[in-house]
Amino acid sequence: MDHYEELKNICEGRITAAPAELCCYAADGSQIKGKPDYVVFPKTTDEVSQVLAYANKHLIPVTTRGAGTGLAGGAVPVRGGILLDMSQMNQILSIDINDIQVTVEPGLVADKLNETLKPYGFFFPPDPGSAATCTIGGQISSNASGMRCVKYGTTKNYVLDLEVVLADGTVIHTGTNCLKSSIGYDLSRLYVGSEGTLGVITKAVLKISPLPKFRKLIMISFPSPENAGLSVSRVFAAGVVPSACEILDKTSVSILTKLDPDVIFPRDGDVVLFEVDGSSKNAVDESAELLASACEEISSSILITDDPVKMKEIWDARRLLGAAVSKLDPTKTRIYVGEDLGVPIQKLPQMIAKVYEITNEIGITPMIYGHVGDGTVHVGLFIDVLDKDEWKKLDIAADRLHLAAIELGGTISSEHGIGAARGMYMEKQCGSAFGVMKAIKKTLDPNGILNPGKLGLS
Amino acid sequence: MDHYEELKNICEGRITAAPAELCCYAADGSQIKGKPDYVVFPKTTDEVSQVLAYANKHLIPVTTRGAGTGLAGGAVPVRGGILLDMSQMNQILSIDINDIQVTVEPGLVADKLNETLKPYGFFFPPDPGSAATCTIGGQISSNASGMRCVKYGTTKNYVLDLEVVLADGTVIHTGTNCLKSSIGYDLSRLYVGSEGTLGVITKAVLKISPLPKFRKLIMISFPSPENAGLSVSRVFAAGVVPSACEILDKTSVSILTKLDPDVIFPRDGDVVLFEVDGSSKNAVDESAELLASACEEISSSILITDDPVKMKEIWDARRLLGAAVSKLDPTKTRIYVGEDLGVPIQKLPQMIAKVYEITNEIGITPMIYGHVGDGTVHVGLFIDVLDKDEWKKLDIAADRLHLAAIELGGTISSEHGIGAARGMYMEKQCGSAFGVMKAIKKTLDPNGILNPGKLGLS
Ligand SMILES: Cc1cc2nc3c(=O)[nH]c(=O)nc-3n(C[C@H](O)[C@H](O)[C@H](O)COP(=O)(O)OP(=O)(O)OC[C@H]3O[C@@H](n4cnc5c(N)ncnc54)[C@H](O)[C@@H]3O)c2cc1C
Ligand SMILES: Cc1cc2nc3c(=O)[nH]c(=O)nc-3n(C[C@H](O)[C@H](O)[C@H](O)COP(=O)(O)OP(=O)(O)OC[C@H]3O[C@@H](n4cnc5c(N)ncnc54)[C@H](O)[C@@H]3O)c2cc1C
């Protein structure tokens, strides 16, 4: 059986096995590597169904790829086999403002959806930092979130129905187009976050929201990162639900000031960027005041602004942070490991202290930023990639960080997912629930062809 | 083996098999009937675990019961066996305002939670009409919702972690106490809405929300129920997300005016009660104006009020509706079948027209009310319960209503669940996804002891 020819037939020629091209598919945003044997580019659900049925029969691994921006190796074919590149299934199939929903193909780039919705006064709230390139399918499969999710909720809150192709090629619908439904097991939610291990998403019906009309930014600096962490619970206890809540520790701020010495950031501490939004200017003003006074006692300085130029400058700087880190020390590179911790809000000061303690002991530089309103603590670790000892230190640091998060009742992944990078912690993280996950995987993918080597499942 | 004695031992004497008591457990809020052989009253997770392990070994059916207010027979032990009455596991274990969460036992009555949270300025938003009596465990297991869910989302949006006892007695945690996490399959969401068929919930960590400070009611009457249905999409398209959106057709309104001739309801049409809420008075005022003008063109009259006395009167009348229906015709009783339809918002006028068409043809009186902002259409059907022919008509009407909802791309249950009442429609409703549900059930409950006869699974 010539797999290449068979797959080529199914996808009407949209396939490659050219070594140089295969290399392009051997990585994502993480350190995980693995080359596929074939890359196919399906255009229809039927093609996906035929590919899976074929792969299932011949026991060929199938890994689905959106844009490959994932940070846990989810889209990396660590066991070879077929890579399904979904980028050609990228259409917005319908916009139903009156039903408050859209129907899209999974390869659609997230920002495209929001650009299209803007003139209607609506948006799709989940906003990963990668929204300019990542796909809706990738977003759903890793339950991605972003700055706005502290108010608007993560991707899972917006999925009404998914068309999914199962391992054997069967096509199912996980829900309905209704805004509400109680019809047995919530398969939509099972597929959100399943990282391509239970089926391939070929269509999604997503709920959308009216765009808020007014926004105000409150930039607060604190004398310590622990105080910055503390601010979050104070704000919630004051009854304010901010539409963004981002921490940048002193190191993060110093990176931004190196990048642009004039950047409007306070130089005197660890910063939290809050935003409040709403449909009424007065409400937004009131929330901003309430928020600021909740933080006053524990902060060093407070800036409130609704000047769009200033707000854009500040948010652009925040968005640049991930890429700008090389400014810290040009000999060091940031590596994405142990980068996606999360804890219950009250544990933020403890988690932050723990990050500094661990990295200090090991002798590695950290920076801390992230969607702290959800308890997310992104840790940036920098090493000289040519130094083998530094790689070792990095591994030790990542390991200790993951275990520290679990010990604090937190999570090893707040939003980037498990992929191949964090599978080894699943037993410890999930306890006996991991057995349930394994059982579900075995039932829905008995031959283990769907994204093997992920979630610690195989 | 004397099951009674063994179970008595496990639950330290908290068991009954007295025929009169068993009869009390043979029904819920629906027409479904079925008597248990034993009722046990566990007080701890360990007791639940021991009961399940024992039942699993001896193949005894186990049905879990919260308050038995369910409207689909979910808590009715249609195959006999053990009934687990969860009412003695009813404690609030912790209130963590700073973590924006509470931890509770499943037998806790929903309103108790909100009474306790009120002084903190927080609330648990999902608010079924039965909140005064129903339990949090029942609410989670049927993904209950209510008037507020159009803005705040249903129960599933508030579940962070569940402690669940599996069929064999294993205890798992489905999530973490973090507000956000991406750690494999979302088991919390799988258990929400699973109606006791996959395990018994023994503890729940729930997210809470700050209580809104201001509310305003907008009562609008329309010349036809179709126009009333249309108003919903107009309001959303105007960018307003109301905090309640309840339809009452002419029949429903006439029931209320018979009950209290002075009730503040317009007499000239089908009514939609909208509410808007928020943390700012101005914002609430603006939203109310925007909402009213979105409906002006298609409505007969509009009343806007934030007078707490008037608002209470109107909402109390709405809440009485279910019970007040006997006022329509004292010889008729309302039976809960085909009562929980849902459609995408734009299909509301069509669904409403279909309800009148079907019931007219069959010669049965309907009333229509419900959380129409989510697409929910509650249909109240009245019969003379002594007339066998009327029962037959009722069955035909319910059947046609369910099929009509499916045909319109809607749902046979918007919020009450499937239970034993709607299992026969699951294949038609879910298509090949029903096979996935069956496979999951088989995997997690291989002996089929958990709530058999429900969801059409057995
Ligand atoms: C600069 C940067 C910033 C980021 N910021 C954030 C952030 O703020 N929040 C956040 O949550 N994440 C963030 N991420 C991580 C990542 O971008 C997101 O998880 C994103 O949603 C992945 O989308 P993708 O299309 O690139 O998916 P991929 O990386 O291609 O795939 C991700 C996973 O989804 C699976 N998958 C993809 N498509 C399908 C499909 N159709 N059916 C089934 N499975 C599928 C893959 O197999 C894989 O397991 C960031 C990444 C970068 C590089
Ligand atoms: C007057 C009235 C108004 C209502 N209004 C609404 C409404 O607005 N919205 C709405 O959604 N519903 C409504 N309902 C339906 C019902 O009240 C809700 O579904 C409620 O949440 C059920 O709670 P309960 O404790 O009575 O559950 P029960 O009826 O006892 O059980 C419901 C289901 O949950 C399972 N279950 C209960 N506890 C557990 C547990 N600990 N572990 C596992 N499974 C468990 C049972 O086995 C059963 O399948 C209404 C009912 C009435 C009578």
PDB file of all heavy atoms in Angstrom, chain B residues 272-302:
ATOM      1  N   VAL B 272     -42.860  40.766  26.951  1.00  0.00           N
ATOM      2  CA  VAL B 272     -41.504  40.350  27.321  1.00  0.00           C
ATOM      3  C   VAL B 272     -41.022  41.237  28.461  1.00  0.00           C
ATOM      4  O   VAL B 272     -41.103  42.468  28.381  1.00  0.00           O
ATOM      5  CB  VAL B 272     -40.510  40.409  26.135  1.00  0.00           C
ATOM      6  CG1 VAL B 272     -39.113  39.973  26.600  1.00  0.00           C
ATOM      7  CG2 VAL B 272     -40.971  39.520  24.986  1.00  0.00           C
ATOM      8  N   LEU B 273     -40.589  40.586  29.543  1.00  0.00           N
ATOM      9  CA  LEU B 273     -39.989  41.297  30.672  1.00  0.00           C
ATOM     10  C   LEU B 273     -38.485  41.297  30.481  1.00  0.00           C
ATOM     11  O   LEU B 273     -37.852  40.248  30.482  1.00  0.00           O
ATOM     12  CB  LEU B 273     -40.291  40.561  31.982  1.00  0.00           C
ATOM     13  CG  LEU B 273     -41.733  40.440  32.419  1.00  0.00           C
ATOM     14  CD1 LEU B 273     -41.825  39.617  33.701  1.00  0.00           C
ATOM     15  CD2 LEU B 273     -42.308  41.835  32.648  1.00  0.00           C
ATOM     16  N   PHE B 274     -37.920  42.480  30.292  1.00  0.00           N
ATOM     17  CA  PHE B 274     -36.471  42.595  30.219  1.00  0.00           C
ATOM     18  C   PHE B 274     -35.969  43.204  31.529  1.00  0.00           C
ATOM     19  O   PHE B 274     -36.659  44.025  32.143  1.00  0.00           O
ATOM     20  CB  PHE B 274     -36.049  43.538  29.087  1.00  0.00           C
ATOM     21  CG  PHE B 274     -36.304  43.018  27.702  1.00  0.00           C
ATOM     22  CD1 PHE B 274     -37.443  43.395  26.985  1.00  0.00           C
ATOM     23  CD2 PHE B 274     -35.393  42.168  27.090  1.00  0.00           C
ATOM     24  CE1 PHE B 274     -37.667  42.942  25.696  1.00  0.00           C
ATOM     25  CE2 PHE B 274     -35.611  41.708  25.794  1.00  0.00           C
ATOM     26  CZ  PHE B 274     -36.752  42.105  25.096  1.00  0.00           C
ATOM     27  N   GLU B 275     -34.792  42.808  31.914  1.00  0.00           N
ATOM     28  CA  GLU B 275     -34.143  43.529  33.005  1.00  0.00           C
ATOM     29  C   GLU B 275     -32.724  43.831  32.556  1.00  0.00           C
ATOM     30  O   GLU B 275     -32.127  43.059  31.803  1.00  0.00           O
ATOM     31  CB  GLU B 275     -34.124  42.684  34.277  1.00  0.00           C
ATOM     32  CG  GLU B 275     -33.771  43.490  35.508  1.00  0.00           C
ATOM     33  CD  GLU B 275     -33.889  42.682  36.796  1.00  0.00           C
ATOM     34  OE1 GLU B 275     -32.887  42.045  37.167  1.00  0.00           O
ATOM     35  OE2 GLU B 275     -34.965  42.682  37.422  1.00  0.00           O
ATOM     36  N   VAL B 276     -32.206  44.979  32.985  1.00  0.00           N
ATOM     37  CA  VAL B 276     -30.788  45.258  32.773  1.00  0.00           C
ATOM     38  C   VAL B 276     -30.199  45.531  34.154  1.00  0.00           C
ATOM     39  O   VAL B 276     -30.882  46.048  35.036  1.00  0.00           O
ATOM     40  CB  VAL B 276     -30.558  46.464  31.833  1.00  0.00           C
ATOM     41  CG1 VAL B 276     -30.871  46.093  30.392  1.00  0.00           C
ATOM     42  CG2 VAL B 276     -31.397  47.669  32.240  1.00  0.00           C
ATOM     43  N   ASP B 277     -28.944  45.153  34.359  1.00  0.00           N
ATOM     44  CA  ASP B 277     -28.325  45.428  35.653  1.00  0.00           C
ATOM     45  C   ASP B 277     -26.885  45.860  35.458  1.00  0.00           C
ATOM     46  O   ASP B 277     -26.360  45.793  34.343  1.00  0.00           O
ATOM     47  CB  ASP B 277     -28.433  44.208  36.594  1.00  0.00           C
ATOM     48  CG  ASP B 277     -27.530  43.063  36.190  1.00  0.00           C
ATOM     49  OD1 ASP B 277     -26.690  43.216  35.283  1.00  0.00           O
ATOM     50  OD2 ASP B 277     -27.664  41.988  36.792  1.00  0.00           O
ATOM     51  N   GLY B 278     -26.272  46.336  36.539  1.00  0.00           N
ATOM     52  CA  GLY B 278     -24.881  46.759  36.441  1.00  0.00           C
ATOM     53  C   GLY B 278     -24.418  47.444  37.700  1.00  0.00           C
ATOM     54  O   GLY B 278     -25.194  47.638  38.647  1.00  0.00           O
ATOM     55  N   SER B 279     -23.165  47.844  37.665  1.00  0.00           N
ATOM     56  CA  SER B 279     -22.579  48.450  38.866  1.00  0.00           C
ATOM     57  C   SER B 279     -22.726  49.969  38.845  1.00  0.00           C
ATOM     58  O   SER B 279     -22.330  50.651  39.774  1.00  0.00           O
ATOM     59  CB  SER B 279     -21.107  48.065  38.973  1.00  0.00           C
ATOM     60  OG  SER B 279     -20.425  48.529  37.830  1.00  0.00           O
ATOM     61  N   SER B 280     -23.316  50.522  37.768  1.00  0.00           N
ATOM     62  CA  SER B 280     -23.458  51.974  37.660  1.00  0.00           C
ATOM     63  C   SER B 280     -24.883  52.331  37.257  1.00  0.00           C
ATOM     64  O   SER B 280     -25.447  51.742  36.325  1.00  0.00           O
ATOM     65  CB  SER B 280     -22.472  52.495  36.611  1.00  0.00           C
ATOM     66  OG  SER B 280     -23.011  53.565  35.881  1.00  0.00           O
ATOM     67  N   LYS B 281     -25.468  53.308  37.947  1.00  0.00           N
ATOM     68  CA  LYS B 281     -26.848  53.693  37.662  1.00  0.00           C
ATOM     69  C   LYS B 281     -26.983  54.223  36.237  1.00  0.00           C
ATOM     70  O   LYS B 281     -27.919  53.891  35.512  1.00  0.00           O
ATOM     71  CB  LYS B 281     -27.299  54.753  38.677  1.00  0.00           C
ATOM     72  CG  LYS B 281     -28.788  55.030  38.575  1.00  0.00           C
ATOM     73  CD  LYS B 281     -29.316  55.858  39.695  1.00  0.00           C
ATOM     74  CE  LYS B 281     -30.778  56.253  39.420  1.00  0.00           C
ATOM     75  NZ  LYS B 281     -31.241  56.193  38.033  1.00  0.00           N
ATOM     76  N   ASN B 282     -26.009  55.051  35.856  1.00  0.00           N
ATOM     77  CA  ASN B 282     -26.081  55.627  34.521  1.00  0.00           C
ATOM     78  C   ASN B 282     -26.056  54.564  33.428  1.00  0.00           C
ATOM     79  O   ASN B 282     -26.779  54.639  32.441  1.00  0.00           O
ATOM     80  CB  ASN B 282     -24.898  56.565  34.296  1.00  0.00           C
ATOM     81  CG  ASN B 282     -25.059  57.828  35.110  1.00  0.00           C
ATOM     82  OD1 ASN B 282     -26.096  58.474  35.053  1.00  0.00           O
ATOM     83  ND2 ASN B 282     -24.051  58.155  35.893  1.00  0.00           N
ATOM     84  N   ALA B 283     -25.192  53.591  33.626  1.00  0.00           N
ATOM     85  CA  ALA B 283     -25.069  52.540  32.621  1.00  0.00           C
ATOM     86  C   ALA B 283     -26.390  51.798  32.495  1.00  0.00           C
ATOM     87  O   ALA B 283     -26.845  51.476  31.387  1.00  0.00           O
ATOM     88  CB  ALA B 283     -23.964  51.568  33.018  1.00  0.00           C
ATOM     89  N   VAL B 284     -27.007  51.529  33.635  1.00  0.00           N
ATOM     90  CA  VAL B 284     -28.265  50.797  33.634  1.00  0.00           C
ATOM     91  C   VAL B 284     -29.353  51.633  32.942  1.00  0.00           C
ATOM     92  O   VAL B 284     -30.122  51.124  32.116  1.00  0.00           O
ATOM     93  CB  VAL B 284     -28.641  50.408  35.083  1.00  0.00           C
ATOM     94  CG1 VAL B 284     -30.060  49.904  35.171  1.00  0.00           C
ATOM     95  CG2 VAL B 284     -27.659  49.354  35.604  1.00  0.00           C
ATOM     96  N   ASP B 285     -29.386  52.928  33.249  1.00  0.00           N
ATOM     97  CA  ASP B 285     -30.368  53.809  32.590  1.00  0.00           C
ATOM     98  C   ASP B 285     -30.162  53.811  31.073  1.00  0.00           C
ATOM     99  O   ASP B 285     -31.113  53.689  30.300  1.00  0.00           O
ATOM    100  CB  ASP B 285     -30.228  55.245  33.116  1.00  0.00           C
ATOM    101  CG  ASP B 285     -30.732  55.381  34.548  1.00  0.00           C
ATOM    102  OD1 ASP B 285     -31.406  54.436  35.029  1.00  0.00           O
ATOM    103  OD2 ASP B 285     -30.435  56.404  35.195  1.00  0.00           O
ATOM    104  N   GLU B 286     -28.907  53.954  30.670  1.00  0.00           N
ATOM    105  CA  GLU B 286     -28.624  53.987  29.231  1.00  0.00           C
ATOM    106  C   GLU B 286     -29.035  52.693  28.532  1.00  0.00           C
ATOM    107  O   GLU B 286     -29.633  52.706  27.462  1.00  0.00           O
ATOM    108  CB  GLU B 286     -27.121  54.234  28.997  1.00  0.00           C
ATOM    109  CG  GLU B 286     -26.714  55.686  29.206  1.00  0.00           C
ATOM    110  CD  GLU B 286     -25.190  55.874  29.220  1.00  0.00           C
ATOM    111  OE1 GLU B 286     -24.485  55.135  28.503  1.00  0.00           O
ATOM    112  OE2 GLU B 286     -24.712  56.757  29.957  1.00  0.00           O
ATOM    113  N   SER B 287     -28.707  51.573  29.157  1.00  0.00           N
ATOM    114  CA  SER B 287     -29.061  50.279  28.561  1.00  0.00           C
ATOM    115  C   SER B 287     -30.571  50.149  28.415  1.00  0.00           C
ATOM    116  O   SER B 287     -31.075  49.648  27.410  1.00  0.00           O
ATOM    117  CB  SER B 287     -28.547  49.124  29.414  1.00  0.00           C
ATOM    118  OG  SER B 287     -27.159  49.152  29.477  1.00  0.00           O
ATOM    119  N   ALA B 288     -31.297  50.596  29.448  1.00  0.00           N
ATOM    120  CA  ALA B 288     -32.760  50.489  29.406  1.00  0.00           C
ATOM    121  C   ALA B 288     -33.325  51.299  28.232  1.00  0.00           C
ATOM    122  O   ALA B 288     -34.213  50.842  27.498  1.00  0.00           O
ATOM    123  CB  ALA B 288     -33.354  50.968  30.728  1.00  0.00           C
ATOM    124  N   GLU B 289     -32.790  52.499  28.038  1.00  0.00           N
ATOM    125  CA  GLU B 289     -33.259  53.357  26.931  1.00  0.00           C
ATOM    126  C   GLU B 289     -32.973  52.705  25.576  1.00  0.00           C
ATOM    127  O   GLU B 289     -33.815  52.661  24.676  1.00  0.00           O
ATOM    128  CB  GLU B 289     -32.563  54.727  26.988  1.00  0.00           C
ATOM    129  CG  GLU B 289     -33.050  55.635  28.105  1.00  0.00           C
ATOM    130  CD  GLU B 289     -34.570  55.848  28.079  1.00  0.00           C
ATOM    131  OE1 GLU B 289     -35.163  55.896  26.985  1.00  0.00           O
ATOM    132  OE2 GLU B 289     -35.165  55.936  29.179  1.00  0.00           O
ATOM    133  N   LEU B 290     -31.756  52.208  25.455  1.00  0.00           N
ATOM    134  CA  LEU B 290     -31.323  51.572  24.213  1.00  0.00           C
ATOM    135  C   LEU B 290     -32.212  50.372  23.891  1.00  0.00           C
ATOM    136  O   LEU B 290     -32.658  50.170  22.751  1.00  0.00           O
ATOM    137  CB  LEU B 290     -29.873  51.092  24.407  1.00  0.00           C
ATOM    138  CG  LEU B 290     -28.948  51.105  23.210  1.00  0.00           C
ATOM    139  CD1 LEU B 290     -28.879  52.487  22.603  1.00  0.00           C
ATOM    140  CD2 LEU B 290     -27.530  50.656  23.636  1.00  0.00           C
ATOM    141  N   LEU B 291     -32.484  49.600  24.914  1.00  0.00           N
ATOM    142  CA  LEU B 291     -33.301  48.402  24.763  1.00  0.00           C
ATOM    143  C   LEU B 291     -34.717  48.783  24.320  1.00  0.00           C
ATOM    144  O   LEU B 291     -35.271  48.214  23.375  1.00  0.00           O
ATOM    145  CB  LEU B 291     -33.313  47.650  26.096  1.00  0.00           C
ATOM    146  CG  LEU B 291     -33.915  46.258  26.142  1.00  0.00           C
ATOM    147  CD1 LEU B 291     -33.303  45.463  27.292  1.00  0.00           C
ATOM    148  CD2 LEU B 291     -35.418  46.240  26.240  1.00  0.00           C
ATOM    149  N   ALA B 292     -35.271  49.770  25.004  1.00  0.00           N
ATOM    150  CA  ALA B 292     -36.639  50.184  24.684  1.00  0.00           C
ATOM    151  C   ALA B 292     -36.722  50.677  23.244  1.00  0.00           C
ATOM    152  O   ALA B 292     -37.654  50.321  22.505  1.00  0.00           O
ATOM    153  CB  ALA B 292     -37.094  51.266  25.658  1.00  0.00           C
ATOM    154  N   SER B 293     -35.725  51.456  22.822  1.00  0.00           N
ATOM    155  CA  SER B 293     -35.855  51.990  21.462  1.00  0.00           C
ATOM    156  C   SER B 293     -35.648  50.896  20.411  1.00  0.00           C
ATOM    157  O   SER B 293     -36.203  50.970  19.314  1.00  0.00           O
ATOM    158  CB  SER B 293     -34.960  53.214  21.230  1.00  0.00           C
ATOM    159  OG  SER B 293     -33.634  52.879  21.496  1.00  0.00           O
ATOM    160  N   ALA B 294     -34.886  49.854  20.760  1.00  0.00           N
ATOM    161  CA  ALA B 294     -34.730  48.739  19.811  1.00  0.00           C
ATOM    162  C   ALA B 294     -36.056  48.020  19.571  1.00  0.00           C
ATOM    163  O   ALA B 294     -36.279  47.420  18.517  1.00  0.00           O
ATOM    164  CB  ALA B 294     -33.686  47.752  20.323  1.00  0.00           C
ATOM    165  N   CYS B 295     -36.968  48.092  20.554  1.00  0.00           N
ATOM    166  CA  CYS B 295     -38.230  47.357  20.448  1.00  0.00           C
ATOM    167  C   CYS B 295     -39.403  48.239  20.035  1.00  0.00           C
ATOM    168  O   CYS B 295     -40.485  47.726  19.703  1.00  0.00           O
ATOM    169  CB  CYS B 295     -38.575  46.709  21.789  1.00  0.00           C
ATOM    170  SG  CYS B 295     -37.400  45.456  22.282  1.00  0.00           S
ATOM    171  N   GLU B 296     -39.210  49.559  20.082  1.00  0.00           N
ATOM    172  CA  GLU B 296     -40.333  50.490  19.930  1.00  0.00           C
ATOM    173  C   GLU B 296     -41.195  50.172  18.709  1.00  0.00           C
ATOM    174  O   GLU B 296     -42.410  50.032  18.800  1.00  0.00           O
ATOM    175  CB  GLU B 296     -39.791  51.922  19.841  1.00  0.00           C
ATOM    176  CG  GLU B 296     -40.863  52.956  20.088  1.00  0.00           C
ATOM    177  CD  GLU B 296     -40.268  54.231  20.689  1.00  0.00           C
ATOM    178  OE1 GLU B 296     -39.057  54.474  20.476  1.00  0.00           O
ATOM    179  OE2 GLU B 296     -41.019  54.956  21.366  1.00  0.00           O
ATOM    180  N   GLU B 297     -40.531  50.038  17.584  1.00  0.00           N
ATOM    181  CA  GLU B 297     -41.217  49.880  16.291  1.00  0.00           C
ATOM    182  C   GLU B 297     -42.184  48.693  16.239  1.00  0.00           C
ATOM    183  O   GLU B 297     -43.191  48.737  15.548  1.00  0.00           O
ATOM    184  CB  GLU B 297     -40.126  49.660  15.237  1.00  0.00           C
ATOM    185  CG  GLU B 297     -40.438  50.162  13.871  1.00  0.00           C
ATOM    186  CD  GLU B 297     -39.202  49.939  12.987  1.00  0.00           C
ATOM    187  OE1 GLU B 297     -38.315  50.809  13.009  1.00  0.00           O
ATOM    188  OE2 GLU B 297     -39.136  48.889  12.335  1.00  0.00           O
ATOM    189  N   ILE B 298     -41.840  47.616  16.934  1.00  0.00           N
ATOM    190  CA  ILE B 298     -42.655  46.393  16.819  1.00  0.00           C
ATOM    191  C   ILE B 298     -43.523  46.135  18.047  1.00  0.00           C
ATOM    192  O   ILE B 298     -44.164  45.093  18.154  1.00  0.00           O
ATOM    193  CB  ILE B 298     -41.763  45.149  16.571  1.00  0.00           C
ATOM    194  CG1 ILE B 298     -40.688  45.016  17.676  1.00  0.00           C
ATOM    195  CG2 ILE B 298     -41.077  45.229  15.207  1.00  0.00           C
ATOM    196  CD1 ILE B 298     -40.014  43.651  17.694  1.00  0.00           C
ATOM    197  N   SER B 299     -43.583  47.106  18.980  1.00  0.00           N
ATOM    198  CA  SER B 299     -44.289  46.854  20.237  1.00  0.00           C
ATOM    199  C   SER B 299     -45.560  47.673  20.372  1.00  0.00           C
ATOM    200  O   SER B 299     -45.790  48.626  19.618  1.00  0.00           O
ATOM    201  CB  SER B 299     -43.356  47.170  21.407  1.00  0.00           C
ATOM    202  OG  SER B 299     -43.045  48.552  21.416  1.00  0.00           O
ATOM    203  N   SER B 300     -46.398  47.307  21.365  1.00  0.00           N
ATOM    204  CA  SER B 300     -47.627  48.064  21.632  1.00  0.00           C
ATOM    205  C   SER B 300     -47.461  49.029  22.791  1.00  0.00           C
ATOM    206  O   SER B 300     -48.026  50.124  22.790  1.00  0.00           O
ATOM    207  CB  SER B 300     -48.773  47.111  21.993  1.00  0.00           C
ATOM    208  OG  SER B 300     -48.838  46.039  21.106  1.00  0.00           O
ATOM    209  N   SER B 301     -46.735  48.622  23.812  1.00  0.00           N
ATOM    210  CA  SER B 301     -46.537  49.520  24.957  1.00  0.00           C
ATOM    211  C   SER B 301     -45.248  49.176  25.685  1.00  0.00           C
ATOM    212  O   SER B 301     -44.786  48.034  25.644  1.00  0.00           O
ATOM    213  CB  SER B 301     -47.718  49.414  25.930  1.00  0.00           C
ATOM    214  OG  SER B 301     -47.646  48.198  26.647  1.00  0.00           O
ATOM    215  N   ILE B 302     -44.682  50.173  26.323  1.00  0.00           N
ATOM    216  CA  ILE B 302     -43.412  49.980  27.037  1.00  0.00           C
ATOM    217  C   ILE B 302     -43.487  50.625  28.412  1.00  0.00           C
ATOM    218  O   ILE B 302     -43.884  51.791  28.535  1.00  0.00           O
ATOM    219  CB  ILE B 302     -42.239  50.622  26.246  1.00  0.00           C
ATOM    220  CG1 ILE B 302     -42.089  49.952  24.876  1.00  0.00           C
ATOM    221  CG2 ILE B 302     -40.924  50.506  27.043  1.00  0.00           C
ATOM    222  CD1 ILE B 302     -40.934  50.472  24.021  1.00  0.00           C
TER     223      ILE B 302
END
